[in-house]
Every structure is written in C-alpha cells, then in structure tokens.
C-alpha cells in the first residue's frame, strides 16, 4: 500500500517576502562576500540554509509569551518560568541562563578545563573545542570510526567508542579528564544520533573513574526521536519521556536554545552538582549577567520556556525529522553523494565525492557552498577543512576526513516546496560538477576562521567555468 503523505503540523499566519536575485546579482553579492556564505547579506538570499541556530519560526503562544516578559534586573519572574521548564523537561537540579550556547561552553570550560587536560568527545564542534583549547585543554575524538565515513549506514553513528575512551583514561589518567563532552546529536558527523545504550554505558564507565559527563544538548530532542524510531524498546515511548531518561545519564549540559528550544536567542548551563553551580553563579555575573537573566531579556526567557514544552510534542518532532529526510531522499534518488543515513537537522553534501577533481586544500566544500548560492540563491555552510582550523602546535591545516556542505533546515520556516527548489539546484550543480573550480584563501582570521575568512577562485573571476 502506498504510504500516505502528511503536511506540516502548523498553519501560516504571517509571511516574509523572499529575495529572488538574478544570476548576475548573485555573482556580485558572492564576490562582495569573498565567496564566504557567512558574509552574504540575508536580503540577498532566497532560501537560507546556513544554519538552524536562531532561525526558528516561533509559535503564536511564544509570541504571546514575549508580552509577559519581566525585564527586572534581578529575580525576574520570567527566569523562574524558564528554570521550571528546564527542570521539568530535562531533569537537572540547577540552571543558569546564558546569552547563547557558547556562553555556557565558556563557563563550563573555565570552571572545568585546566592546562594539560584532555577533553574526550564524540567528534569536535567548532566553538566547543575553541573554548576547551583556550583554557589549555586538548580535544580527543572518541567517536566510532564509522562516523568518519559518509556512506556507512548505521542507526547510531554518533556513538562513543568505549575502547577509545578507556584507552585515553589509561594513558593520561582520570584526573586529567575533567569531563566527557557528549554531543546529542553529533553535528559534524551529519546530525547523527547517540543510542540510549551508549549514553548509559559512557555514564557508567565515567562514574567508575570519577569523570563527569556533560552533554552538548543543542539538538537533544532530535536525538530522542531517533531513539524512538530506531532503538529497541522505545517505539511506543513518548519523546518527552525518552529525553528525560537521556539526561539521567549525565551530570549536566550546555544548551544553545536557538535550536531545539525553538527560539532566536538564548541558552543555558545546567548541572546536578551544587558546588559546580555555586562556582557557575559567580562566573555568570562576570561574563553573562545576573544569574536570573544571564544575557537574555525576560521576554526571551518566556519564549524559551514555552518553546521547550513545544519541542517535545511528538507530532512536531516527527515532521521536523521527516522534512529533512524529504530533501535527503530526493538527493539520494538522484545519486548525489550525501552523508548517510540522513541526520536530524541538515543534509550534508559529501564534497570529496561531489568534486573529486579538487584537492582538500582547494577548499572544495567552500567552493561547493558558493556555487550553490550562485546557482539558485540557496545559502549553505562549509563544514570541512576551513571549519576544522589549524593545529595549534604545528600550524598546519587540520584535515578532517569528512569534507562537507551543510544544508541546514530551520524549524517551522520552510515548506516542502522550498526543499524541492533546493534539490533541483543541487542536482543541477552535480550535472556540471566538473566545471566548479576551487578557491584560495585571501584572508584567514586567527580563530574560528570559517566565520570571516575571504576567498577567491583559483583562476579568473568565474567560480563555475
């Protein structure tokens, strides 16, 4: 029997006109931006798949909640609503608001990471690793090997390799490991989830050695959905209940509320340890604000509290994952090389396979992202050698095995028709992939270079010959 189609579990109340530049106008905008999609003006973008961070569409209840915002400098009523939501849905005892996720990463790294420490994690993330390194730590990748292969089909490619983690503990000693950073899901692996069993096993191992487990919980609801869909024993368990169990296998988390909390700004640091919370309260005043607002306005805390509750609705998250999958399935059917299986928040084009004629040092992912914008006005993001930065000791490029372009789907923003436009553009580029040339880097920032680096084509002025 033919599978019945479903529609978005929401209806549209307000619309925003989109820019539809012609090819010459897009070329001019791309050159002005130094072939870096981060530097494009949003007014020049048709379909914006740069990121799902802060690009969510809020619900009518969230917009209403904004009007209830208490902007008191201390003791805001809105803060207590956010605190209650985090405790109810995630289960942590203590919560501190931050202006966004990297604010929480900064606080955690300053408190926990000392020079000479090692921080294991299931693949790096850019800002997380930067904070760890700025405090003297060294990130160690302990994800399973399959996560570095874009074509391996595995239900939980975000899992930690327990043998790798055990070896690190034996080699450097538990006292040199302040915490394990467990991302759920794993962004840089293609939005891949971690199984409940793996979370439980990692937590039990770390408890044996007195090592904390801190989640990067940015897309935790998506991870919970994959557990419901793929892991034995969870098919009939609500996402909300799965999420609560997930967090029971951790000591705390950093959260960018700009993703799964369905808001445009904000984040938090949560934990169960009272001493760590006390230290955090002191630092949050220095870097973020009072412990009852932490860099957020009261209205944003109101909207985030409401968004947390909405995020665990099973109908919402099912559609969220299926819209990403809808785009991925079209590309797979057309033979486009993407990271498989399709992850939670984005489609990741495999730039190595898409542009095999380009060397990694010719910034294939950056070139492909630029070419996609030039072709259709669709903005995407490089996730490869540029994002990986340089080795802090040798100064050489870090060369990740995965060289990707991320097509990131904002929550509740686009329809499936928009996904059709994206698919058509990617397929069109693939048909003329041999004509796409590489880039050279004209300006390289010292830190997190992918945000502000500038590029130009290797020869001439035409990216697509």
């Amino acid at each position: 029997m033919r599978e019945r189609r479903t529609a978005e579990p929401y209806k549209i109340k307000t619309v925003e006109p989109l820019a539809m530049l012609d090819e010459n106008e897009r070329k001019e905008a791309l050159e002005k931006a130094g072939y870096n999609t981060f530097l494009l003006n949003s007014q020049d973008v048709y379909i914006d798949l740069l990121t799902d961070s802060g690009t969510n569409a809020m619900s009518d209840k969230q917009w209403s909640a904004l009007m209830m915002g208490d902007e008191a400098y201390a003791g805001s009523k809105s803060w207590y609503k956010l605190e209650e939501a985090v405790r109810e849905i995630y289960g942590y005892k203590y919560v501190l608001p931050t202006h966004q996720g990297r604010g929480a990463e900064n606080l955690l790294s300053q408190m926990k990471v000392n020079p000479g420490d090692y921080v294991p994690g299931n693949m790096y993330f850019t800002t997380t690793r930067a904070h760890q390194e700025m405090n003297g730590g060294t990130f160690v990748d302990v994800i399973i090997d399959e996560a570095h292969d874009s074509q391996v089909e595995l239900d939980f490619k975000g899992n930690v390799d327990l043998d790798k983690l055990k070896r690190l503990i034996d080699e450097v000693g538990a006292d040199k490991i302040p915490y394990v950073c467990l991302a759920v899901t794993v962004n840089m692996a293609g939005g891949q989830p971690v199984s409940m069993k793996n979370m439980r096993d990692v937590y039990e191992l770390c408890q044996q050695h007195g090592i904390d487990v801190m989640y990067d919980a940015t897309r935790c609801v998506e991870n919970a959905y994959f557990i419901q869909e793929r892991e034995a024993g969870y098919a009939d368990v609500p996402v909300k209940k799965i999420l609560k169990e997930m967090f029971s296998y951790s000591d705390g988390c950093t959260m960018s509320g700009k993703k799964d909390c369905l808001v445009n700004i904000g984040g938090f640091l949560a934990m169960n340890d009272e001493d760590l919370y006390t230290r955090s309260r002191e630092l949050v005043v220095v870097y973020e604000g009072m412990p009852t607002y932490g860099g957020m306005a009261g209205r944003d805390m109101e909207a985030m509290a409401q968004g947390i509750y909405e995020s665990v609705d099973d109908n919402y998250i099912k559609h969220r994952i299926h819209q990403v999958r809808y785009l991925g399935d079209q590309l797979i059917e057309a033979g486009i090389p993407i990271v498989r299986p399709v992850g939670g928040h984005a489609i990741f084009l495999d730039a190595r396979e898409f542009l095999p004629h380009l060397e990694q040092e010719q910034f294939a992912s950056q070139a492909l992202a630029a070419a996609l914008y030039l072709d259709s006005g669709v903005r995407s993001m490089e996730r490869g050698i540029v994002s990986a930065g340089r080795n802090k000791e040798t100064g050489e490029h870090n060369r990740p095995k995965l060289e990707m372009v991320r097509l990131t789907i904002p929550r509740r923003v686009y329809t499936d028709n928009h996904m059709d436009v994206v698919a058509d553009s990617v397929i069109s580029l693939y048909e003329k992939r041999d004509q796409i040339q590489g880039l050279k880097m004209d300006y390289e920032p010292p830190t997190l270079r992918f945000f502000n680096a500038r590029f130009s084509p290797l020869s001439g002025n035409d990216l697509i010959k």
Side-chain angles (χ1 to χ4, degrees), residues 283-312:
L283 272 184
V284 79
V285 174
V286 176
Y287 290 100
E288 300 288 325
M290 283 290 289
T292 52
Y293 76 88
M296 279 195 286
R299 54 185 174 270
D300 294 318
M301 291 190 287
E302 291 274 356
M304 183 184 288
Q306 176 62 30
I308 288 172
Y309 292 119
E310 292 180 11
S311 73
V312 293

Side-chain angles (χ1 to χ4, degrees), residues 37-200:
T37 54
F38 275 97
L39 302 180
L40 289 166
N41 293 328
S42 66
Q43 66 185 16
D44 296 330
V45 174
Y46 176 28
I47 299 174
D48 201 344
L49 306 186
L50 182 75
T51 181
D52 61 331
S53 179
T55 57
N56 307 298
M58 292 201 301
S59 69
D60 52 355
K61 289 184 178 180
Q62 286 180 287
W63 281 106
S64 298
L66 290 177
M67 300 305 296
M68 301 297 293
D70 177 9
E71 306 305 338
Y73 188 81
S76 165
K77 291 182 292 185
S78 302
W79 154 244
Y80 294 108
K81 287 186 181 180
L82 176 57
E83 182 184 47
E84 181 183 2
V86 173
R87 285 176 171 172
E88 178 182 344
I89 300 301
Y90 303 129
Y92 294 115
K93 294 179 181 178
Y94 306 108
V95 191
L96 283 168
T98 59
H99 73 284
Q100 60 184 66
R102 68 195 61 179
E105 292 172 349
N106 175 44
L107 296 177
L108 179 63
S109 295
Q110 288 218 32
M111 289 185 299
K112 298 281 286 180
V113 180
N114 295 306
D117 281 349
Y118 296 85
V119 185
N122 52 341
M123 201 171 286
Y124 84 98
F125 184 68
T126 52
T127 59
T128 312
R129 187 179 67 185
H131 285 299
Q132 293 164 356
E133 291 178 348
M134 288 170 66
N135 286 279
T138 298
F139 168 79
V140 181
D141 190 357
V142 293
I143 202 168
I144 59 175
D145 290 340
E146 292 88 343
H148 295 279
D149 188 329
S150 68
Q151 298 307 298
V152 170
E153 293 272 4
L154 197 65
D155 283 345
F156 295 102
K157 284 176 77 173
N159 280 357
V160 166
D161 185 321
L162 291 172
D163 289 334
K164 290 182 182 179
L165 181 55
K166 290 174 184 175
R167 284 197 297 272
L168 180 66
I169 295 171
D170 291 340
E171 289 171 6
V172 305
D175 59 329
K176 285 293 185 181
I177 302 176
Y179 63 93
V180 172
C181 183
L182 188 65
V184 289
T185 59
V186 185
N187 187 353
M188 303 299 280
Q192 301 298 326
V194 181
S195 72
M196 190 74 81
K197 181 182 185 304
N198 191 248
M199 294 181 210
R200 188 184 306 116

Side-chain angles (χ1 to χ4, degrees), residues 264-301:
N264 307 122
I265 197 67
F268 59 80
L269 174 65
M271 67 215 75
N272 292 321
D273 182 80
E274 185 174 5
D275 290 339
L276 187 64
Y277 171 65
T278 301
R279 292 167 59 200
S280 302
R281 281 176 59 90
E282 302 303 322
L283 272 184
V284 79
V285 174
V286 176
Y287 290 100
E288 300 288 325
M290 283 290 289
T292 52
Y293 76 88
M296 279 195 286
R299 54 185 174 270
D300 294 318
M301 291 190 287

Side-chain angles (χ1 to χ4, degrees), residues 151-370:
Q151 298 307 298
V152 170
E153 293 272 4
L154 197 65
D155 283 345
F156 295 102
K157 284 176 77 173
N159 280 357
V160 166
D161 185 321
L162 291 172
D163 289 334
K164 290 182 182 179
L165 181 55
K166 290 174 184 175
R167 284 197 297 272
L168 180 66
I169 295 171
D170 291 340
E171 289 171 6
V172 305
D175 59 329
K176 285 293 185 181
I177 302 176
Y179 63 93
V180 172
C181 183
L182 188 65
V184 289
T185 59
V186 185
N187 187 353
M188 303 299 280
Q192 301 298 326
V194 181
S195 72
M196 190 74 81
K197 181 182 185 304
N198 191 248
M199 294 181 210
R200 188 184 306 116
D201 290 345
V202 169
Y203 188 58
E204 290 175 355
L205 174 62
C206 288
Q207 280 192 314
Q208 294 171 15
H209 295 275
I211 300 170
D212 285 348
V213 176
M214 304 298 290
Y215 285 177
D216 175 348
T218 296
R219 298 179 180 88
C220 56
V221 183
E222 295 174 5
N223 201 109
Y225 177 82
F226 283 121
I227 289 173
Q228 184 189 67
E229 184 183 60
R230 300 174 181 176
E231 194 160 357
Y234 291 94
D236 298 320
V237 182
V239 163
K240 180 179 178 180
K241 188 174 181 180
I242 293 172
L243 195 66
K244 199 72 164 286
E245 183 182 348
M246 283 171 52
F247 286 111
S248 72
Y249 304 128
S250 69
D251 298 287
C253 79
T254 59
M255 169 63 86
S256 171
K258 299 166 68 177
K259 285 86 168 177
D260 270 358
C261 295
L262 298 174
V263 288
N264 307 122
I265 197 67
F268 59 80
L269 174 65
M271 67 215 75
N272 292 321
D273 182 80
E274 185 174 5
D275 290 339
L276 187 64
Y277 171 65
T278 301
R279 292 167 59 200
S280 302
R281 281 176 59 90
E282 302 303 322
L283 272 184
V284 79
V285 174
V286 176
Y287 290 100
E288 300 288 325
M290 283 290 289
T292 52
Y293 76 88
M296 279 195 286
R299 54 185 174 270
D300 294 318
M301 291 190 287
E302 291 274 356
M304 183 184 288
Q306 176 62 30
I308 288 172
Y309 292 119
E310 292 180 11
S311 73
V312 293
D313 176 77
D314 284 84
N315 290 323
Y316 151 73
I317 189 59
K318 180 178 180 179
H319 171 264
R320 161 67 177 161
I321 299 298
H322 281 226
Q323 185 174 60
V324 177
R325 198 170 286 164
Y326 174 76
L327 173 58
D329 287 346
Q330 290 190 66
L331 298 181
I332 291 172
E333 185 177 352
I336 308 299
I338 69 170
V339 174
R340 302 171 73 166
V342 172
H345 68 291
I347 299 301
F348 289 74
L349 306 178
D350 186 334
R352 285 184 186 271
E353 297 297 324
F354 202 113
L355 303 175
H357 58 286
L358 296 183
E359 299 294 331
Q360 194 169 27
E361 290 78 6
Q362 294 174 323
F363 308 118
S365 296
Q366 193 75 44
L368 182 53

